[in-house]
Amino acid sequence: MSTEILMKPKTSKKTLEDLLTEKRKFAPPKKFREQANVKTEKIYQEGKNSLKFWEKQAQELVWSKKWKKVLEWKLPFAKWFVDGKLNVSVNCIDRHLATWRKTKAAIIWEGEPGETRTLTYQQLSREVNRFANGLKSLGVAKGERVVIYMPMAPELPIAMLACARIGAAHSVVFGGFSAEALRDRINDCKAKVVITADGGYRRGNIVPLKQNTDEAVKETPSVTHVVVYKRLGKTQNTPWTQGRDVDWDELVANQTAVCPAEEMDSEDLLYILYTSGTTGKPKGIMHTTAGYLTGVKTTTKFIFDLKDEDVYWCTADIGWVTGHSYIVYGPLANGATTVMYEGSPDWPDKDRFWAIVEKYGVTILYTAPTAIRTFMKWGEDYPNRRDLSTLRLLGSVGEPINPEAWMWYHQIIGKGRCPVVDTWWQTETGSILISPLPGVTTLKPGSATKPFPGVEADVVDEQGKPVKIGAGYLILKQPWPSMLRGIYGDPERYKAQYWSRFPGAYFAGDGAKRDKDGYLWLLGRVDDVLKVSGHRLSTMEIESALVDNPKVAEAAVIGRHHDIKENAIVAFVTLKEKIGSNGAADREEVINELKAHVVKKIGSLARPDEILFTAELPKTRSGKIMRRLLRDVAEGRALGDTTTLADPNIVRTLKEKYEHLEG
Ligand code: WT7
């Protein structure tokens, strides 16, 4: 990690100067402010006493036993709301059944082919209780793990909430991951049961979830049962393993809708979610019960200004943390109506998102910059075909939003009427930590603005000294309730990864800039983590997948700036043997083979955009690959400092070769 990297974030071609000179400002519209859940700056004062602030928020939850102490902090291990007892499914469901919300829509679901299902809180309760009893009948007990590999169907949150109800930790694996990636995650957490479906729809195609699961569980000794939800229907010829596979409908058919909720400790594990870090092996991020729920409930209410009348839609996939916190747990804990959509934004046409906003009268929309940039490319006609007048608030997450995309979102989707909340957080942080409060904060296009009340963030230099105005590394100086409790099975890695770079502080892996008004501008990752269309990937993970192929001797992967996806994946590869005599055709064949190999090892989300063969990789004298210089090559820049290289000629040759190919 060097300052040079920081000055050239992987994210944007904009220079720091461009950001510093951003002059446009948008104060909260009066009408919005008057009705907002948070109307004044006073809340930031309250947040200064962070323990008191979070304790007040935790009081909004339903507890079966109150905590004894707000925080026990043994750096870097935190316990929040010590000795408190509660259950997440009670907070997301049961508490609403005693109110008029019993008949309110909890989940509005739209399948890609166009079907609609609405579940009231009462109906959701029945489904969750029956499925929870079903899981128990398969022998799943409190403290065990369940892996969920499902399409975006209501059964996915039902399965999660059922796990929470009986005290089993879930680990949701995104449907775009391959059989091998699924297998590794099941084995890492030793799941007893896998819940999947016969398939899901994506761009009219069928996602082969059951086939992948069958492949995966060949090598997962911990798994006793696979529960299969028939999303596609009985017409599908789904391969079936008697004794192991269980049909979801048959499992719940004879179960009652009463399953007493397990009383959970504040610090009991709620879920594990695997994410990519700076090594080849994904990390199982652990989130526990009370602190996590406090974080997501509070941020959803304050940042999205959630009200009972809202129709709230977060377009993420539940396979990622955004879906966990802001489709399922945050909205349901607030008794909101949350929309779920199964498929792709361009199916059957490029106005699908706007058709959904119109159809359900969506009032709050939360999506990603990569999607917004795609919509910009498709043009204004698509949103303009639809009635978007119900929208009142827009959100963005996943990567830095460039000011152009922010303005387009604000003007074309929000018609200048809706505040845009750019929310910064991570799988590890559990909930949003840096964001405007829409009724309070004056917005600047492209800035996530300020830390949430009760959160203490800073921008520091290499030595950990605060940078008053300018660029540095983003750190968090105090524990927060929804913070990760560690990496599953690897406490040492947790310490080294997050708490060692700047002693006493959490290092997020992001660069950030602070302007003269104290606003924060996120600059993207400064480590070996990539964002590709909002998906988080590790360069090392892709490199491991490449060298797993017998043809490959060595590989270096970098993220090249991409106008829509943020990063494109470029792999520099040295082969063990020379490519055949057939020149270009042979090269093409090997490239395709290697791309397919990465897809098999990780999933289609990690398929390299470009593969370039090279006789050698640029390395330092101590043998470290200089990825920074490879990025210079791939982005067509003058080469940075090459003085530490063992042989500077290698990278020069590579640059010429690349320019030749590009030209
Ligand atoms: C990384 C975390 C948790 C949300 C989904 C992504 C980047 C996230 C922003 C933002 C700039 C952002 C960071 C972060 N990121 N939100 N508003 N502005 N960058 O979760 O997959 O764990 O990725 O996403 O680089 O470290 P994730």
Side-chain angles (χ1 to χ4, degrees):
M1 220 165 12
S2 71
T3 328
E4 191 178 356
I5 291 180
L6 200 54
M7 292 310 151
K8 284 185 276 183
K10 274 178 271 188
T11 292
S12 161
K13 283 186 175 153
K14 289 249 154 203
T15 62
L16 290 173
E17 271 328 293
D18 291 330
L19 291 179
L20 277 166
T21 52
E22 175 61 64
K23 291 255 162 45
R24 291 167 291 198
K25 287 186 186 177
F26 298 88
K30 186 161 169 275
K31 241 180 87 188
F32 191 98
R33 186 175 52 223
E34 281 168 0
Q35 60 80 59
N37 285 341
V38 185
K39 297 183 179 61
T40 71
E41 299 255 345
K42 221 177 66 200
I43 194 158
Y44 288 105
Q45 283 306 320
E46 282 179 42
K48 290 220 164 100
N49 185 339
S50 74
L51 293 190
K52 205 168 148 207
F53 174 81
W54 287 118
E55 177 159 46
K56 184 173 158 195
Q57 307 314 323
Q59 277 156 5
E60 301 286 314
L61 302 180
V62 177
W63 297 81
S64 51
K65 183 175 161 245
K66 214 191 143 176
W67 58 91
K68 291 204 182 100
K69 200 174 162 196
V70 181
L71 171 67
E72 205 176 281
W73 180 224
K74 292 195 185 104
L75 190 119
F77 297 98
K79 286 185 181 164
W80 282 87
F81 312 114
V82 181
D83 279 344
K85 307 275 181 216
L86 72 169
N87 181 287
V88 167
S89 82
V90 168
N91 273 278
C92 289
I93 303 172
D94 303 42
R95 73 177 303 176
H96 308 306
L97 300 182
T99 72
W100 66 271
R101 292 194 190 98
K102 182 174 173 178
T103 52
K104 176 181 176 174
I107 296 173
I108 297 178
W109 173 78
E110 176 152 312
E112 191 183 80
E115 340 70 309
T116 290
R117 267 168 72 195
T118 299
L119 289 159
T120 63
Y121 276 93
Q122 160 70 13
Q123 289 167 321
L124 179 63
S125 166
R126 281 182 60 79
E127 299 305 323
V128 167
N129 277 272
R130 291 167 73 215
F131 192 66
N133 279 328
L135 285 176
K136 275 182 162 174
S137 76
L138 296 178
V140 180
K142 181 173 174 174
E144 293 185 311
R145 273 87 45 221
V146 171
V147 161
I148 305 178
Y149 183 61
M150 289 190 85
M152 283 284 285
E155 278 65 21
L156 168 49
I158 289 168
M160 293 161 75
L161 290 158
C163 287
R165 194 159 191 90
I166 64 173
H170 57 72
S171 184
V172 182
V173 177
F174 174 58
F177 280 114
S178 68
E180 290 192 25
L182 174 63
R183 176 199 64 198
D184 293 347
R185 286 157 175 77
I186 294 170
N187 283 335
D188 190 79
C189 72
K190 299 191 179 58
K192 186 166 196 175
V193 165
V194 179
I195 306 167
T196 188
D198 54 354
Y201 291 101
R202 184 78 193 174
R203 238 172 235 126
N205 298 318
I206 286 169
V207 188
L209 298 165
K210 177 63 163 66
Q211 282 93 313
N212 288 349
T213 305
D214 285 342
E215 198 55 41
V217 298
K218 280 184 191 155
E219 299 168 88
T220 58
S222 61
V223 173
T224 60
H225 288 97
V226 174
V227 180
V228 186
Y229 169 64
K230 300 268 179 73
R231 155 77 185 107
L232 305 180
K234 309 270 182 210
T235 51
Q236 286 293 317
N237 230 341
T238 307
W240 209 256
T241 303
Q242 287 302 333
R244 183 198 72 190
D245 293 351
V246 182
D247 181 313
W248 176 299
D249 288 337
E250 288 171 20
L251 179 66
V252 299
N254 296 318
Q255 304 295 343
T256 71
V258 183
C259 175
E262 281 291 333
E263 187 177 69
M264 304 299 284
D265 187 87
S266 288
E267 283 299 333
D268 277 339
L269 190 59
L270 176 63
Y271 68 80
I272 302 167
L273 187 58
Y274 287 86
T275 191
S276 295
T278 49
T279 66
K281 193 173 173 271
K283 307 177 279 194
I285 302 300
M286 295 196 288
H287 284 295
T288 57
T289 299
Y292 175 78
L293 196 62
T294 302
V296 298
K297 178 163 198 272
T298 310
T299 49
T300 311
K301 185 165 175 194
F302 292 173
I303 296 168
F304 297 115
D305 193 46
L306 210 52
K307 310 273 170 45
D308 261 321
E309 310 75 61
D310 279 310
V311 179
Y312 163 93
W313 181 26
C314 165
T315 70
D317 191 292
I318 295 176
W320 306 105
V321 75
T322 308
H324 282 61
S325 299
Y326 297 108
I327 296 177
V328 184
Y329 292 118
L332 296 179
N334 281 292
T337 298
T338 179
V339 176
M340 268 180 85
Y341 168 56
E342 175 185 36
S344 159
D346 57 355
W347 189 267
D349 204 351
K350 297 187 173 70
D351 66 347
R352 185 62 180 272
F353 273 25
W354 320 122
I356 291 174
V357 169
E358 179 181 85
K359 183 168 170 189
Y360 302 105
V362 171
T363 58
I364 302 168
L365 177 69
Y366 190 30
T367 194
T370 188
I372 297 165
R373 291 191 293 262
T374 305
F375 298 140
M376 282 173 80
K377 191 181 79 181
W378 290 343
E380 292 172 30
D381 281 356
Y382 293 105
N384 287 346
R385 277 187 200 170
R386 300 289 179 172
D387 179 5
L388 306 181
S389 63
T390 50
L391 288 172
R392 67 182 193 89
L393 179 64
L394 303 172
S396 170
V397 64
E399 20 164 347
I401 180 163
N402 44 314
E404 297 85 337
W406 194 102
M407 288 302 295
W408 191 88
Y409 198 28
H410 188 251
Q411 297 303 322
I412 306 302
I413 305 305
K415 315 288 181 209
R417 175 185 76 234
C418 310
V420 174
V421 288
D422 173 16
T423 61
W424 178 89
W425 59 299
Q426 310 177 295
T427 306
E428 292 88 339
T429 70
S431 63
I432 298 166
L433 296 189
I434 302 177
S435 167
L437 293 174
V440 174
T441 316
T442 292
L443 308 171
K444 299 188 190 185
S447 170
T449 74
K450 301 203 165 149
F452 191 75
V455 173
E456 215 186 310
D458 206 351
V459 178
V460 298
D461 65 13
E462 291 287 330
Q463 280 72 46
K465 277 213 328 274
V467 176
K468 283 225 169 68
I469 300 176
Y473 303 101
L474 181 73
I475 61 164
L476 300 162
K477 300 209 292 193
Q478 292 293 336
W480 62 101
S482 65
M483 66 191 277
L484 76 163
R485 297 303 194 265
I487 296 172
Y488 192 75
D490 203 345
E492 285 311 312
R493 191 172 169 201
Y494 166 66
K495 277 193 213 170
Q497 184 79 47
Y498 303 103
W499 298 91
S500 66
R501 178 69 179 80
F502 301 103
Y506 172 92
F507 176 46
D510 282 277
K513 188 190 77 67
R514 184 162 33 208
D515 71 15
K516 63 179 187 339
D517 300 326
Y519 276 48
L520 299 172
W521 301 75
L522 279 304
L523 300 175
R525 303 287 307 198
V526 294
D527 54 10
D528 297 319
V529 171
L530 303 183
K531 274 308 184 84
V532 181
S533 298
H535 299 153
R536 177 164 161 183
L537 290 163
S538 132
T539 55
M540 311 273 186
E541 200 178 342
I542 304 170
E543 287 165 10
S544 307
L546 284 166
V547 297
D548 179 77
N549 185 289
K551 289 202 170 77
V552 176
E554 212 174 11
V557 167
I558 56 116
R560 187 190 64 196
H561 171 78
H562 186 281
D563 281 339
I564 289 179
K565 301 199 285 190
E566 181 175 6
N567 284 163
I569 303 172
V570 182
F572 295 85
V573 170
T574 60
L575 295 174
K576 286 182 188 153
E577 282 166 36
K578 268 206 154 44
I579 288 177
S581 53
N582 224 344
D586 284 343
R587 183 177 329 117
E588 204 52 35
E589 205 183 301
V590 181
I591 288 175
N592 288 336
E593 180 189 331
L594 296 185
K595 286 185 181 176
H597 195 76
V598 174
V599 171
K600 180 165 170 280
K601 299 299 285 184
I602 304 174
S604 49
L605 70 170
R607 180 187 285 117
D609 294 275
E610 279 176 48
I611 293 182
L612 198 82
F613 298 117
T614 170
E616 278 175 279
L617 290 167
K619 290 184 186 161
T620 61
R621 278 182 282 275
S622 57
K624 197 172 168 287
I625 298 172
M626 297 274 286
R627 289 192 187 72
R628 165 174 72 73
L629 293 171
L630 293 173
R631 271 178 54 210
D632 289 341
V633 169
E635 294 182 345
R637 257 192 311 261
L639 292 173
D641 184 3
T642 58
T643 50
T644 54
L645 286 178
D647 178 2
N649 282 323
I650 293 172
V651 70
R652 274 185 221 126
T653 313
L654 206 54
K655 188 166 165 59
E656 277 161 30
K657 190 171 164 189
Y658 198 88
E659 272 157 13
H660 177 71
L661 275 181
E662 291 284 284

